[in-house]
Amino acid sequence: MIVTIDGPAAAGKSTAARALAERLGFDFLDTGAMYRAVTLAALRRKIPLDNEQALEKLAASLKIELRGKAVLLDGEDVSVAIRDVEVTKHSRNVADNPGVRRQMVLLQREAGRSHNIVAEGRDQGTVVFPDAACKFFLTAAPTVRAERRQVDLAKRGLHITVDQVLADQNERDDRDASRAIAPMVPASDAIHVDSSHMSLTDVVDSLERRVRQVQSHESQIA
């Protein structure tokens, strides 16, 4: 069974998806980490991020593995390294690369063929797994998302005003929603969940209830 959770940055997708996967006993597919891993590899090898062919070739050559909370790049645990500010800054350039996306989609679909998964990202329910059994679009008010992001950055020692975070976030939302390849839009059959005034537990409870309903329905049909 495949469950997808799409939505904008700082909506809580990764945290909710990981928690939901644990409750269901599914694997968690952190697609953002995969693009970050490619970005890290490109930066380390000093590959120009505007060289589409070189990036695609690089992505095809890498071995990216997601093992629980660990992200392995050619056998190296890069779970911390991929969260570096420089990687975060440039990951969007890599994610917008058509060739890189093709390679990552292949890896993501391969994971979905052999495991029950909860996949989070921005195009999981629309591009990668259009036939997923259960799709969610998780969002929150822009100011709420900005405040959450500021807290997360502060924990990493980066102190940025909410206004600046909000401005950057709005720019990113516009870019993600309007990009030509895999834009961030909800799937037509996705369930919208606004987490603005919900705790993480409430969000995961809501998602789990829906997934259990789908599981129950499918078992009855079987």
Side-chain angles (χ1 to χ4, degrees):
M1 183 178 185
I2 296 173
V3 178
T4 63
I5 303 179
D6 292 317
K13 301 187 303 297
S14 295
T15 305
R18 191 182 296 278
L20 178 63
E22 290 179 357
R23 287 197 189 182
L24 297 171
F26 286 15
D27 287 346
F28 167 53
L29 186 61
D30 184 354
T31 62
M34 300 172 74
Y35 289 103
R36 286 173 174 270
V38 177
T39 304
L40 176 64
L43 292 174
R44 285 178 169 179
R45 303 181 191 190
K46 302 187 185 306
I47 295 175
L49 299 183
D50 58 354
N51 188 328
E52 292 190 1
Q53 292 183 335
L55 281 179
E56 180 178 7
K57 184 177 180 180
L58 171 66
S61 71
L62 298 174
K63 182 178 182 180
I64 300 173
E65 301 172 88
L66 304 179
R67 296 183 182 176
K69 294 183 179 181
V71 181
L72 303 184
L73 175 61
D74 290 335
E76 176 192 353
D77 188 340
V78 294
S79 307
V80 175
I82 62 171
R83 304 298 172 184
D84 181 79
V85 174
E86 196 69 10
V87 173
T88 299
K89 177 182 177 182
H90 294 292
S91 61
R92 65 174 180 265
N93 300 94
V94 173
D96 285 343
N97 182 294
V100 173
R101 294 202 76 86
R102 281 194 294 271
Q103 295 298 326
M104 295 303 101
V105 168
L106 289 175
L107 291 178
Q108 292 158 18
R109 287 177 175 166
E110 181 63 30
R113 274 193 284 271
S114 55
H115 299 86
N116 292 321
I117 62 171
V118 177
E120 71 86 16
R122 290 176 178 77
D123 62 350
Q124 295 301 292
T126 53
V127 175
V128 185
F129 300 114
D131 298 322
C134 206
K135 303 177 185 178
F136 299 101
F137 191 81
L138 181 61
T139 188
T143 52
V144 172
R145 291 164 48 212
E147 289 168 355
R148 291 173 179 171
R149 177 64 174 163
Q150 185 198 38
V151 171
D152 182 55
L153 291 172
K155 290 178 180 177
R156 301 185 211 172
L158 300 173
H159 300 287
I160 305 173
T161 66
V162 172
D163 288 343
Q164 183 58 56
V165 174
L166 181 59
D168 292 344
Q169 174 183 284
N170 289 339
E171 180 183 348
R172 180 175 179 177
D173 286 349
D174 290 341
R175 183 176 60 250
D176 286 346
S178 61
R179 65 189 182 190
I181 301 170
M184 182 195 66
V185 293
S188 59
D189 54 346
I191 298 172
H192 290 244
V193 178
D194 187 332
S195 68
S196 299
H197 305 292
M198 300 172 70
S199 68
L200 173 61
T201 299
D202 290 338
V203 171
V204 180
D205 284 347
S206 176
L207 303 181
E208 183 185 9
R209 280 195 297 271
R210 176 57 182 168
V211 175
R212 298 294 187 193
Q213 289 173 356
V214 172
Q215 287 179 318
S216 177
H217 178 69
E218 290 186 346
S219 66
Q220 290 175 5
I221 293 177

